[in-house]
């Protein structure tokens, strides 16, 4: 693309990013508002954060959410990586089309349908709903995202590296563990992160899969949001946005630095 | 030969069969059952202890009654139509908002692009729910938008935006914007700059070159982006229930309420089955577009 | 005075008592309907440097992959040291492969790449470092042991790949176009290095290449393949001087091919190739029936060119110069002869300021002896 950055481009980018970020910035600012009235500024205060931390219902929900997210994303990463490996490497086997269909379908499936289907399954096999059913449901839909992320890395993975490992005496499993996995690790990690955030974020599927005693944070937020804007939710949102922003920026700085270091090393090698 | 290979394939396979395929079979089955005030709230239930007779009476009791009910009750087909309409209109608006952003990113210099890219992706990682929620304070009657417009003197009574379809459009455009920007950007980024130069060399103005070269070549990205917005928007639940009003009809919301408020599982299942059937068309078109692009890349 | 030590000729393929290290017996490999290797039978001997030569897609890589264990023959058997290797998985075979792409593990250092195979062999742990050092010395990379593959140059990477595949002291080393990615100069240096290492380690090498010069340089024997079949397996000089077919003659080096009908003429043959032209006199080890259609093949450097008719040469042909290619050390003249045929003659540029006594459109005389060319029936 020949780049001639014009005023039009600058304007559309500015407006676009204002549109994307202004709502969240307003939210953050008003989480420090001392008034209960969420649209009128009445001075700086952090009291809503204090109230939030004293709200046991929110803390319980946060704990359930975190537990579910860690468990389901870890399970989903294992299953999704296996599925990706099967899709890319296993060649032909009976029912391959069905398999890849089942991997891609959850990505385009409306959450209400996935959630409904899950719930009906749990009921027909007589499973008590709670943390474990949310974990199962989340694992199932997030493993598909993991396998898409990992398989797009595996496709570009040079197969001769695995063959070289076999040639040098590795068993297939050993070759996967000591050659393939370390190389595709960044994709596996981003798959895990994606599964983790999807699980943290999910409202609809969790609503179906959850029992009366297991409320997740999004469910809690949703039920209070239906009553309108509340400064406590603003404070909670600010915390969540803050954590994500710090996380994403750190991750990108780390990867940028490692790329820069790699470049420098390559240049040093070229000079040597 | 290969116990390992078998385990490798069977583990994710069985998982998906049990937790994804079987549930859908159950949804289909319940969609064909009748509502009953019992636990579970539908009949028939498969009674295997009755042997062959049980199975026969089970299948005999399944019918398409729920589907005829859906067709006869205006609420449902209106909800489908209105979902299609809302999804289509929001997709067009998202395209109009997203294209200039993607174009601007593609025109930006090399050192800026990773940052711009991150700025587009960052909202992906923040909670969907919170992003939708953030608009309540802006769109409500005493919200920031109305305050701003009143202050400008454009209006003298607050506009009612929240709890209308307009607010749903805003919510969909806002939350799905990155899905539109990213595929268009990646199509534009691949575009060879010398094509534009060649077009200008052959006498095109800048605007003509954009219209004749850039736009057609970004078409696969535009199509992908539109499907990526349209497909999830069609079954959307969170946005209409937070930003929409009681008159906002979207099928995701209807299904959710049918299930949780009315506890009519057979009808909820039938609603889901019809929604699935409607979704098959755009999904197949989307797959075809992706396939074509993959082939073109080879 | 001592007798000049006669270096023993290395030619196990001529010794009927010698057991081959590898024996392909009627091996066929199909991918679906496509026949990649077609009923191939071949012996390769211990300490050989065996080159597989052929156009892209003729099945060279497939042959190697069957040896390494990544493909199984559709029919036929492959014996290594007299044992059928079909049931042995790649990680248990006494062969190692140097991959076309090198396939160095990007996340491991040079040292760990070389040690990779050793750690998975039955070599005691404490002996591994010594072996790795030895390999590093062999390929002269001692200073680069701590680097990752992306931190070294292309030539160094290629040497790491070689060291890694040699470290386990395999009975057989497979090299798939090992020098393909290197530029010409580095490539020539590496060819000699490879020969040197092969001699030092005494390993049997099978090398795939599509560069005929490379095959001629390094190999003890060259196999020319086409469409999954062996066309000729022979020493480099015999492949060059006595190709068994037009295909081989044409594939290796530059050659003039003249079609004609042969008839016996005393202990030689006369080939009628053009109306009103003297027949070409040639010798052949084969007997050729009178009137057989043959191809007479002669290398350009065996054709002399002169502006006056030479005396006392077995074959003299008249023509006009249509093109001259100056290549520095040699010049090639393209000469049009009877019937519009082109024959190339190559002359070494011995003097620095060559007197241009032959130039475009000159009338010239081409000549060659009756043993310079070869008569091919196929
Ligand atoms: N796994 C495979 N499936 C189908 N065809 C293959 C496969 N591997 C190789 N072939 C075909 O076999 C022929 C020989 O390939 P190869 O041995 O790689 O040739 P080369 O002599 O260039 O190394 C080629 O035509 C190739 O397309
Ligand atoms: Mg090859």
């Amino acid at each position: 693309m020949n780049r001639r950055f014009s005023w039009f481009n600058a304007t559309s980018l500015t407006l676009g990013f204002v549109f994307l970020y202004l709502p969240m910035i307003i939210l953050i600012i008003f989480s420090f508002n001392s008034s209960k009235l969420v649209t009128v500024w009445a001075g700086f205060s952090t009291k809503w954060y204090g109230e939030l931390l004293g709200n046991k219902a929110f803390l319980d929900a946060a704990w359930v959410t975190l537990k579910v997210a860690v468990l389901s994303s870890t399970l989903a990463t294992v299953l999704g990586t296996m599925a990706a490996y099967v899709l890319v490497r296993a060649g032909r086997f009976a029912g391959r089309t069905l398999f890849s269909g089942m991997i891609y379908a959850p990505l385009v499936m409306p959450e209400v349908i996935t959630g409904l289907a899950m719930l009906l399954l749990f009921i027909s096999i007589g499973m008590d709903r709670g943390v474990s059913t949310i974990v199962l449901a989340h694992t199932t839909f997030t493993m598909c995202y993991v396998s898409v992320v990992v398989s797009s890395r595996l496709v570009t993975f040079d197969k001769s590296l695995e063959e070289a490992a076999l040639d040098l005496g590795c068993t297939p499993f050993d070759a996967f563990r000591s050659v393939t996995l370390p190389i595709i690790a960044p994709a596996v990690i981003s798959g895990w992160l994606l599964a983790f955030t999807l699980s943290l974020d999910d409202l609809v599927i969790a609503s179906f899969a959850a029992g009366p005693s297991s409320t997740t944070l999004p469910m809690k937020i949703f039920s209070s949001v239906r009553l309108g804007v509340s400064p406590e939710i603003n404070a909670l949102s600010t915390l969540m946005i803050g954590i994500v922003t710090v996380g994403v920026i750190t991750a990108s700085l780390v990867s940028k630095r490692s790329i820069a270091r790699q470049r420098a090393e390559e240049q040093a090698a070229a000079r040597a | 030969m290969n116990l390992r290979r078998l385990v490798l394939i069977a583990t994710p396979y069985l998982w998906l069969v049990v937790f994804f395929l079987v549930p859908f079979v159950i949804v289909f089955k319940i969609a064909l059952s009748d509502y009953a005030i019992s636990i579970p709230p539908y009949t028939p239930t498969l009674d295997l202890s009755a042997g062959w007779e049980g199975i026969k009476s089970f299948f005999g009791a399944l019918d398409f009654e729920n589907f005829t009910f859906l067709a006869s009750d205006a609420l449902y087909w209106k909800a489908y139509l209105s979902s299609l309409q809302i999804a289509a209109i929001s997709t067009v608006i998202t395209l109009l908002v997203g294209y200039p952003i993607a174009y601007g990113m593609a025109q930006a210099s090399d050192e800026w692009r990773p940052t711009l890219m991150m700025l587009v992706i960052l909202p992906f990682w923040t909670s969907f729910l919170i992003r939708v929620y953030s608009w309540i304070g802006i769109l409500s009657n005493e919200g920031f938008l109305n305050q701003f417009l009143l202050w400008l003197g454009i209006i003298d009574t607050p506009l009612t935006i929240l709890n209308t379809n307009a607010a749903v459009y805003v919510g969909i455009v806002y939350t799905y914007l990155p899905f539109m920007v990213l595929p268009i950007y990646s199509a534009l980024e691949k575009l060879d700059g010398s094509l534009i130069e060649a077009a200008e060399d052959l006498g095109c103005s800048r605007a003509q070159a954009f219209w004749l070269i850039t736009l057609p070549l970004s078409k696969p990205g535009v199509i992908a982006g539109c499907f990526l917005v349209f497909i999830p928007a069609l079954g959307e639940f969170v946005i209409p229930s937070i930003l929409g009003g009681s008159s906002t009809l979207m099928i995701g919301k209807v299904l959710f309420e049918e299930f949780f408020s009315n506890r009519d599982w057979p009808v909820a299942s039938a609603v889901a089955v019809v929604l699935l059937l409607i979704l098959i068309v755009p999904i197949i078109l989307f797959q075809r577009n992706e396939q074509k692009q993959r082939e073109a890349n080879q | 005075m001592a007798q000049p030590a006669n270096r023993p000729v290395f030619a196990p393929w001529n010794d009927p008592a010698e057991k081959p290290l590898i024996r392909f017996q009627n091996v066929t490999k199909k991918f679906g309907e496509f026949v990649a290797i077609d009923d191939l039978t071949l012996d390769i001997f211990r300490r050989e440097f065996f080159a597989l030569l052929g156009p892209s897609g003729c099945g060279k890589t497939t042959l190697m992959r069957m040896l390494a264990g990544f493909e199984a023959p559709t029919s036929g058997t492959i014996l290594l040291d007299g044992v059928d290797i079909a049931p042995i998985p790649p990680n248990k075979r006494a062969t190692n492969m140097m991959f076309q792409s090198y396939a160095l593990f990007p996340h491991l250092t040079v040292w760990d790449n070389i040690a990779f195979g050793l750690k998975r062999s039955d070599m005691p742990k404490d002996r591994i470092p010594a072996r790795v050092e030895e390999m590093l010395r062999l390929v002269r990379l001692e200073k680069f042991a701590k680097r990752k593959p992306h931190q070294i140059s292309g030539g160094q990477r290629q040497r790491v790949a070689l060291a890694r595949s040699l470290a386990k002291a395999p009975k057989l080393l497979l090299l798939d176009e090992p020098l393909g990615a290197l530029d010409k100069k580095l490539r020539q240096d590496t060819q000699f290095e490879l020969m040197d290492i092969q001699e030092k380690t005494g390993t049997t090498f099978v090398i795939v290449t599509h560069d005929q010069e490379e095959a001629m340089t390094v190999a003890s024997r060259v196999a020319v393949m086409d469409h999954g079949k062996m066309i000729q397996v022979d020493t480099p000089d015999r492949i060059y001087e006595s190709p068994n077919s037009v295909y081989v003659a044409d594939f290796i080096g530059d050659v003039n091919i003249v079609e004609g009908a042969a008839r016996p003429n005393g202990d030689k043959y006369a080939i009628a190739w053009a109306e009103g032209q003297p027949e070409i006199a040639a010798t052949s080890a084969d007997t050729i029936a009178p009137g057989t259609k043959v191809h007479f093949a002669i290398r350009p450097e065996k054709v002399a060119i002169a502006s006056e008719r030479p005396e006392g040469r077995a074959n003299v042909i008249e023509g006009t110069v249509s093109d001259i290619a100056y290549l520095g050390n040699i010049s090639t003249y393209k000469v049009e002869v009877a019937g519009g045929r082109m024959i190339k003659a190559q002359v070494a540029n011995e003097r620095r300021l060559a007197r241009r006594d032959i130039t475009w459109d000159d009338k010239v005389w081409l000549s060659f002896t009756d043993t310079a060319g070869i008569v091919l029936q196929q």
Side-chain angles (χ1 to χ4, degrees), chain C residues 263-313:
Chain C
R263 68 176 174 83
N265 183 13
D267 55 347
K268 297 176 190 161
Y269 290 90
I271 302 163
W273 60 281
E275 202 85 11
Q277 288 285 327
E279 293 165 308
I280 293 173
T283 54
S284 174
D286 307 333
T287 40
I288 303 169
T292 313
K293 284 209 74 88
V294 294
H295 296 267
F296 176 73
I298 183 164
R299 304 277 178 201
E301 73 271 16
K302 298 204 167 68
V303 179
I305 184 167
S307 37
E308 261 120 63
R309 187 183 174 102
E311 294 302 319
R313 303 275 280 185

Side-chain angles (χ1 to χ4, degrees), chain A residues 197 201 244, chain B residues 120-128 131 175 178-179 182:
Chain A
T197 32
D201 204 18
V244 167
Chain B
V120 172
I121 294 175
L122 192 60
F124 264 140
W125 297 93
T126 37
S127 167
F128 183 83
R131 279 184 290 147
T175 46
F179 287 106
L182 291 176

Side-chain angles (χ1 to χ4, degrees), chain C residues 147-357:
Chain C
R147 299 252 185 118
K148 294 266 180 77
H150 64 86
Q151 298 167 308
I152 56 179
S153 71
Q156 291 167 337
R157 262 176 239 173
Q158 172 264 323
R159 301 215 296 271
V160 177
L162 181 64
R164 185 180 71 178
S165 49
L166 276 171
K168 291 178 82 175
K171 280 187 189 168
L172 175 65
L173 183 68
L174 306 165
L175 306 106
D176 192 355
E177 306 207 19
L179 313 182
L182 305 185
D183 58 50
K184 196 170 162 90
K185 180 78 179 64
L186 192 54
R187 193 146 148 173
Q188 284 170 348
D189 293 348
T190 317
Q191 284 165 7
F192 287 110
E193 210 170 310
L194 269 183
M195 291 161 72
D196 205 38
I197 288 173
Q198 195 257 349
E199 214 156 286
K200 262 190 221 160
T201 58
T203 312
T204 309
F205 278 27
V206 177
I207 186 170
V208 163
T209 168
H210 59 244
D211 175 352
Q212 45 113 351
E213 225 175 278
E214 184 170 296
M216 309 287 282
T217 310
V218 299
S220 58
R221 277 197 304 162
V222 175
V224 181
M225 287 181 73
D226 186 34
H227 286 103
K229 279 189 186 303
M230 286 291 164
I231 308 297
Q232 187 171 4
V233 183
D234 232 323
T235 53
D237 57 317
R238 286 192 54 81
I239 290 265
Y240 189 77
E241 300 293 350
S242 333
N244 66 1
S245 60
V246 175
Y247 179 82
V248 175
D250 203 24
F251 193 79
I252 308 278
D254 211 356
V255 72
N256 295 300
I257 307 264
V258 182
E259 267 179 76
R263 68 176 174 83
N265 183 13
D267 55 347
K268 297 176 190 161
Y269 290 90
I271 302 163
W273 60 281
E275 202 85 11
Q277 288 285 327
E279 293 165 308
I280 293 173
T283 54
S284 174
D286 307 333
T287 40
I288 303 169
T292 313
K293 284 209 74 88
V294 294
H295 296 267
F296 176 73
I298 183 164
R299 304 277 178 201
E301 73 271 16
K302 298 204 167 68
V303 179
I305 184 167
S307 37
E308 261 120 63
R309 187 183 174 102
E311 294 302 319
R313 303 275 280 185
N315 294 291
V316 178
I317 300 173
E318 190 185 350
T320 24
V321 175
S322 84
D323 222 340
I324 306 174
Y326 174 71
L327 300 174
N329 56 344
I330 50 167
S331 291
T332 303
Y333 295 86
K334 227 172 171 183
V335 178
E336 186 172 341
V337 297
R341 285 189 187 78
M342 291 290 176
I343 291 184
K344 282 180 274 184
Q346 217 166 53
V347 179
N349 294 325
E350 285 160 349
R351 279 170 294 176
R352 182 159 162 265
L353 291 167
R355 216 166 11 94
R356 276 278 165 85
D357 57 349

Side-chain angles (χ1 to χ4, degrees), chain B residues 2-14:
Chain B
N2 227 309
L3 188 65
R4 247 190 219 119
R5 182 183 149 89
L6 188 70
V7 170
L8 178 69
I9 295 176
T11 315
Y13 206 127
L14 286 180

Side-chain angles (χ1 to χ4, degrees), chain A residues 158 160-172 174 177-179 182-183 262 265-266 268-270 272, chain C residues 65 68 70 90-91 95-97 99 101 103-107 113 116-117 120 144 147 150-152 164-165 168:
Chain A
D158 182 5
S160 63
L161 289 176
E162 274 168 26
E163 288 180 344
L166 292 179
D167 188 66
L168 293 167
C170 284
T171 62
D174 190 15
R177 195 184 50 86
S178 52
V179 173
I183 296 172
Q262 190 164 327
E265 283 168 346
E266 265 160 33
Chain C
R65 290 172 60 82
F70 300 124
N91 49 332
T95 62
N96 279 123
M97 180 143 167
F99 287 77
S101 59
L104 295 180
F105 305 128
H107 59 301
N113 262 285
F116 191 92
R120 284 155 181 87
F144 298 91
R147 299 252 185 118
H150 64 86
Q151 298 167 308
I152 56 179
R164 185 180 71 178
S165 49
K168 291 178 82 175

Side-chain angles (χ1 to χ4, degrees), chain B residues 12 27 35 85 107 111 158 165 193 206 241 246 250 254 267 271:
Chain B
V27 169
Y35 178 65
Q85 189 193 348
Q107 298 285 72
E111 60 263 32
N165 284 3
R206 252 194 111 173
S241 41
S246 50
M250 281 196 81
V254 170
V267 169
V271 168

